[in-house]
Amino acid sequence: MSTVVVQKFGGTSVGSTERIKRMADRVIQEKEKGHDVVVVVSAMGKTTDALVKLVSDITSEPSKREMDMLLSTGEQVTISLLSMALQQQGVEAISFTGWQAGIQTDSVLGNAHIQSIDTKRIRNELDHGKVVVVAGFQGVTEDGDISTLGRGGSDITAAALASALKADRCDIYTDVDGVYTSDPRFVPKASKIPSLSYEDMQNLAVMGAGVLHPRAVKHAKKFGIPLFIKSSFEKGRGTKIHGKAKQNGSSPVIGVTFEADINRLEIFDCNDIEGFQKALMCELASHHIQADVYKQSCRDTLSLLIKEQDLQEVLSILYKEKENWMYSRIVRKGGLSKVSVIGQNIKSQPAIKMDMCKILLENAVRVKLVGESAISVTAVVEKRQVQLAAERLHTGFGLDYEAVMKASV
């Protein structure tokens, strides 16, 4: 009985017809090993940005339904071209959109969650020896509307399909050769991590590590599907994400993450702050919006940290519910970033928070807010200082490549 391997190629990996041909070679190599292969692809690099630009020339308030209808076309171009590239080399292949692949989502357009996958059609084509090429980032609602899964949605599609098909593994091909202790494009001394547990990877992803979407990790963890993060352009094992990874060394800190474009909303004079916080978090969750909420030293004030892309929707929710939630005013501060030290059971180790604050103070990084959770300590800083903050924290917690190599000897 053949095993199933799912391969996912991101936008950079399929950014030109030449790169699509190279990725076809990777697919064929896997097929020749005797595996059934399902491939998930993103839109060709910059395609989505170009589509969004077209919208901005038409309207400043597009409907979410029509945005999803438009943005889903990017992946359809790639699946057709990759299927043709495979066929050109004598490999039978067939392309499927999200709905053709049986991917059903909820109705939160623009940031939908996968609810179920009917794999019957995919399995039928695999049984006939074909490579199945699926459009990432998309599905269909119960009402039959095309939906998209939000940023990083192709990762989610790949991991969800791997889980539904009980695949042997899921390979995520990207422009980096694995998961690092921080983003190596901005922290040059970052170290590649050869192996991570699902929990550690999810913690890194939730707090800003852009290499993999946290919902992709969640799907893989549910059915124990190993994930491999690999380079599209270089050979190598990459990083394995599974349930058996062990933390290296004695430090609980596994990485430093950051998110560059953050808004802070201060909400003042909350009448019932506990009830307000609970209602706010439930409402944001129903829209699939991630936010960090911190109570201020002033008992009736909340601080809300949100991504730039979610700002208008969050403000709309807050203004709509103002009478019910009974607060007096909102003060917005933009031009901010957040940088986080990630690990396990960090909240039970107050020295980590103290060390973080000390490192930032010694390097003249202006800290606007410090918050903590079970997995992280997060500082809000000015955007212009986020790279400096990430580099200094990375060094301070012994994560630089030289320190890691020395500790492993």
Side-chain angles (χ1 to χ4, degrees):
M1 182 179 177
S2 297
T3 56
V4 177
V5 171
V6 175
Q7 297 178 303
K8 179 262 176 175
F9 299 112
T12 304
S13 308
V14 292
S16 67
T17 52
E18 284 304 314
R19 288 185 176 182
I20 288 173
K21 291 176 185 177
R22 288 172 61 183
M23 296 309 106
D25 291 337
R26 295 233 178 193
V27 176
I28 292 169
Q29 290 169 12
E30 209 60 58
K31 181 70 175 171
E32 288 177 343
K33 293 176 183 177
H35 298 301
D36 288 334
V37 183
V38 176
V39 185
V40 175
V41 293
S42 300
M44 296 172 70
K46 305 299 182 183
T47 297
T48 301
D49 291 341
L51 292 172
V52 171
K53 174 62 170 63
L54 291 176
V55 175
S56 68
D57 292 341
I58 299 292
T59 176
S60 60
E61 297 183 357
S63 76
K64 289 189 175 183
R65 183 188 184 279
E66 300 311 326
M67 280 297 293
D68 279 7
M69 181 70 78
L70 177 67
L71 296 182
S72 67
T73 63
E75 281 70 21
Q76 292 180 47
V77 172
T78 320
I79 59 174
S80 300
L81 292 174
L82 180 56
S83 296
M84 292 176 195
L86 290 165
Q87 292 163 4
Q88 180 66 22
Q89 297 194 54
V91 175
E92 288 190 276
I94 186 170
S95 62
F96 287 156
T97 63
W99 71 266
Q100 288 174 320
I103 299 172
Q104 185 167 317
T105 74
D106 60 21
S107 57
V108 182
L109 299 179
N111 194 16
H113 284 196
I114 295 174
Q115 293 189 319
S116 64
I117 302 179
D118 183 349
T119 61
K120 188 184 303 179
R121 192 170 181 188
I122 292 176
R123 289 190 181 278
N124 181 58
E125 298 296 346
L126 293 176
D127 289 343
H128 284 83
K130 295 181 182 179
V131 171
V132 178
V133 184
V134 179
F137 176 67
Q138 62 182 251
V140 64
T141 70
E142 285 187 5
D143 295 330
D145 288 325
I146 291 174
S147 54
T148 63
L149 309 181
R151 291 173 185 257
S154 292
D155 290 346
I156 302 168
T157 302
L161 280 172
S163 298
L165 293 163
K166 296 181 173 56
D168 187 55
R169 69 177 197 274
C170 178
D171 295 339
I172 307 289
Y173 288 93
T174 183
D175 54 358
V176 294
D177 63 345
V179 180
Y180 281 72
T181 48
S182 194
D183 189 332
R185 295 171 298 179
F186 299 94
V187 182
K189 293 183 179 181
S191 310
K192 189 168 82 170
I193 307 172
S195 181
L196 276 169
S197 68
Y198 293 119
E199 290 81 4
D200 283 345
M201 184 67 246
Q202 193 153 24
N203 292 344
L204 288 168
V206 164
M207 297 307 296
V211 69
L212 190 60
H213 198 289
R215 295 209 309 267
V217 185
K218 184 178 179 181
H219 281 291
K221 179 184 176 183
K222 185 175 181 180
F223 291 96
I225 308 296
L227 295 169
F228 287 86
I229 311 300
K230 300 181 178 182
S231 170
S232 299
F233 312 111
E234 301 173 8
K235 290 186 178 180
R237 187 172 180 271
T239 297
K240 182 179 182 181
I241 299 159
H242 59 141
K244 299 178 182 178
K246 294 182 180 180
Q247 185 171 293
N248 294 323
S250 57
S251 173
V253 176
I254 60 169
V256 173
T257 64
F258 56 91
E259 293 184 69
D261 295 304
I262 295 295
N263 282 269
R264 176 183 180 182
L265 300 180
E266 285 189 285
I267 308 168
F268 291 91
D269 303 322
C270 305
N271 187 46
D272 173 13
I273 196 163
E274 298 291 343
F276 172 45
Q277 182 175 358
K278 187 179 295 184
L280 174 60
M281 295 307 292
C282 286
E283 187 65 22
L284 294 178
S286 73
H287 289 77
H288 302 162
I289 295 172
Q290 181 187 337
D292 301 327
V293 180
Y294 300 107
K295 293 178 186 175
Q296 296 295 81
S297 54
C298 178
R299 291 191 308 169
D300 60 356
T301 303
L302 284 182
S303 270
L304 187 64
L305 303 182
I306 55 173
K307 298 176 183 178
E308 178 72 27
Q309 68 199 50
D310 295 323
L311 175 62
Q312 293 308 316
E313 188 165 7
V314 172
L315 287 173
S316 177
I317 290 168
L318 285 167
Y319 292 141
K320 181 180 176 182
E321 298 291 339
K322 184 175 182 180
E323 288 188 11
N324 293 328
W325 291 343
M326 292 184 292
Y327 61 86
S328 67
R329 60 194 174 98
I330 299 172
V331 175
R332 170 185 166 269
K333 172 66 175 174
L336 300 175
S337 299
K338 66 178 185 179
V339 59
S340 303
V341 173
I342 312 298
Q344 293 185 1
N345 302 316
I346 278 186
K347 199 169 185 177
S348 65
Q349 303 181 61
I352 292 176
K353 182 178 179 180
M354 289 188 291
D355 288 345
M356 180 182 190
C357 293
K358 181 181 177 183
I359 291 166
L360 294 176
L361 180 63
E362 288 175 346
N363 287 278
V365 176
R366 298 181 63 186
V367 178
K368 307 293 184 179
L369 174 72
V370 176
E372 58 185 328
S373 69
I375 65 167
S376 67
V377 181
T378 297
V380 177
V381 302
E382 294 178 1
K383 184 178 177 179
R384 63 182 178 84
Q385 290 191 302
V386 66
Q387 185 172 352
L388 171 66
E391 287 182 331
R392 296 298 184 267
L393 289 171
H394 195 272
T395 299
F397 283 100
L399 298 174
D400 285 358
Y401 178 78
E402 297 91 337
V404 172
M405 291 297 292
K406 186 177 180 180
S408 63
V409 173

